[in-house]
């Protein structure tokens, strides 16, 4: 049923940054594969090798876009909080919508 979801997605982070905004199917496949996995070591591997870099860059973009630099804590702490928020809510992603 979800065999196409489990295909190996091999793309470097540099390719991710250079790709077009509309070409995001491989990112969607990563989130689906992460959410469908029941093995925590596999989820950890998917997150560390694929999702973490994207979340890190997205957190930087969010902080700079919405001007979260005015906090009294260092930038890296704010970025860590934003990434943690995204990780806590990754299970809410619904690929059917």
């Amino acid at each position: 049923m979800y065999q196409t979801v489990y295909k190996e997605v091999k793309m470097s982070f540099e390719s991710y940054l250079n790709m077009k905004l509309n070409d995001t199917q491989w990112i969607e496949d990563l989130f689906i594969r992460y959410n469908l996995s029941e093995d925590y070591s596999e989820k950890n591997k998917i997150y560390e090798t694929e999702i973490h870099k994207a979340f890190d860059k997205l957190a930087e973009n969010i902080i700079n876009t919405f001007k979260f630099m005015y906090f009294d804590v260092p930038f890296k702490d704010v970025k860590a909080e934003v990434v943690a928020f995204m990780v806590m809510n990754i299970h809410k992603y619904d690929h059917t919508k």
Side-chain angles (χ1 to χ4, degrees), residues 26-87:
W26 74 275
I27 299 171
E28 183 176 345
D29 291 343
L30 278 176
F31 288 124
I32 294 169
R33 198 173 70 183
Y34 179 88
N35 285 334
L36 290 177
S37 176
E38 295 179 8
D39 182 22
Y40 288 112
S41 63
E42 182 182 356
K43 279 187 168 194
N44 192 34
K45 181 180 177 186
I46 293 169
Y47 177 77
E48 286 181 354
T49 59
E50 305 287 343
I51 298 175
H52 177 70
K53 290 179 183 178
F55 273 6
D56 200 47
K57 183 62 179 173
L58 181 59
E60 288 178 8
N61 290 343
I62 290 170
I63 292 167
N64 292 327
T65 299
F66 296 106
K67 309 295 185 228
F68 290 142
M69 290 148 315
Y70 60 84
F71 290 126
D72 292 335
V73 294
F75 179 82
K76 67 178 186 173
D77 292 343
V78 175
K79 186 167 80 169
E81 287 292 324
V82 173
V83 170
F85 178 79
M86 290 188 287
V87 171

